[in-house]
Amino acid sequence: MLALIKGAGDIASGIAVRLKRAKFDIAMTDIERPTAIRRTVCFSQAIVNGEACVEDIKAERAQSTDDIYQIIKRGNIAVIADEKAECIKTLKPYFVIDAILAKKNLGTSIDDAPVVIGVGPGFRAGVDCHAVIETQRGHYLGRVILEGNAAENTGVPGNIGGYTTERIIRAVKDGIFTPVCQIGDIVEAGQTVAYVDGEPVKCLIGGVLRGILPENTPVYKGMKSGDVDPRCKKEHCYTVSDKASAVGGGVLEAMLRLKED
């Protein structure tokens, strides 16, 4: 059965990895110029580079719905630049999973497929979709919600190694982002990791640079542009996160619970 995932960022990609290992055929959609931070674990990079690999799973860019079928036939995940997921009309997937994580519903309907799943806040089970998956870190992370909503967005990033907002690197002004550090680099508090039109962008804490926007990305002031992991384990930069894995498990559970025999 075909599962179409809207979004191809790190959480969506973690979902895709779990579903692919469970033998589902996967297609994913994203925007033409992805803005994912954790690019080493994002299938959205297939749109940029033609292909991408997360752990042992390969994805290829599709230019059309015909390409999607051929890529899936080769045993890979198909990723297409289709911001509004218009391909749903042609593909008619059995499952649609909205993992854009926009904190609001950007157009997903419960009528898009036999099973529609919303990931995170912005969806109401039984109204926008058949199930919602909790994305807030804590006791309920990855839980399947069949009635009601996920927890509202707090605006505070999840706690990792004792840090929340301090982990996030943000653009200092509107302009063009130019990184001077790479994913996997060890950085120190106060170190310049990028520039926006010549103005330095500094990290607030030390750790391993787990994510950063690519060169020449247009940004606005305050835009999330990087992520420092204070646990300092480089291998975490190249594997699906605990959060993405938990959410992926919740999506898989919801699919199996809601699928007709």
Side-chain angles (χ1 to χ4, degrees):
M1 289 182 176
L2 177 63
L4 184 134
I5 303 174
K6 298 171 71 172
D10 64 311
I11 299 298
S13 298
I15 294 168
V17 166
R18 296 211 74 166
L19 300 189
K20 183 63 179 171
R21 287 180 177 156
K23 307 300 183 183
F24 285 95
D25 294 331
I26 310 294
M28 307 180 77
T29 64
D30 211 311
I31 59 177
E32 183 65 41
R33 292 196 65 178
T35 56
I37 302 296
R38 296 199 61 212
R39 292 175 285 124
T40 48
V41 289
C42 290
F43 288 126
S44 60
Q45 290 305 290
I47 292 176
V48 179
N49 302 318
E51 61 180 46
C53 193
V54 177
E55 297 189 10
D56 58 343
I57 307 295
K58 182 179 178 180
E60 299 178 61
R61 176 168 183 165
Q63 300 292 346
S64 66
T65 51
D66 287 341
D67 281 350
I68 289 174
Y69 293 123
Q70 292 303 313
I71 291 167
I72 289 173
K73 191 174 181 179
R74 289 196 289 271
N76 297 325
I77 291 173
V79 187
I80 189 168
D82 182 2
E83 185 171 356
K84 295 184 178 180
E86 297 287 348
C87 63
I88 289 174
K89 298 172 186 176
T90 303
L91 294 173
K92 295 180 171 56
Y94 192 90
F95 304 98
V96 167
I97 300 114
D98 189 327
I100 297 173
L101 299 183
K103 311 299 190 296
K104 59 183 178 180
N105 187 346
L106 297 179
T108 292
S109 167
I110 197 169
D111 298 319
D112 285 340
V115 175
V116 179
I117 298 168
V119 178
F123 304 98
R124 186 169 186 82
V127 177
D128 305 300
C129 53
H130 299 97
V132 175
I133 309 303
E134 182 60 69
T135 57
Q136 188 175 97
R137 286 186 183 273
H139 184 73
Y140 297 106
L141 177 63
R143 293 289 183 101
V144 176
I145 300 165
L146 298 178
E147 292 184 10
N149 309 346
E152 293 298 319
N153 179 36
T154 64
V156 178
N159 189 313
I160 294 180
Y163 295 95
T164 57
T165 56
E166 304 94 337
R167 296 191 294 107
I168 307 304
I169 297 166
R170 299 191 181 276
V172 292
K173 64 177 183 179
D174 298 356
I176 302 300
F177 190 83
T178 304
V180 294
C181 293
Q182 304 299 319
I183 294 174
D185 287 352
I186 302 298
V187 296
E188 299 178 356
Q191 181 177 334
T192 296
V193 295
Y195 291 90
V196 177
D197 290 348
E199 187 169 337
V201 178
K202 300 181 179 182
C203 54
L204 298 178
I205 63 171
V208 63
L209 192 62
R210 193 171 67 155
I212 195 164
L213 288 173
E215 191 167 0
N216 295 324
T217 300
V219 295
Y220 55 84
K221 185 176 180 179
M223 179 176 170
K224 183 177 178 181
S225 304
D227 179 7
V228 177
D229 188 337
R231 295 170 296 188
C232 253
K233 293 187 177 181
K234 286 189 177 184
E235 60 269 26
H236 288 183
C237 299
Y238 307 102
T239 52
V240 171
S241 70
D242 53 349
K243 178 176 179 177
S245 185
V247 172
V251 171
L252 179 58
E253 177 191 332
M255 290 167 64
L256 296 177
R257 288 174 67 176
L258 294 169
K259 179 177 71 70
E260 293 184 3
D261 293 333

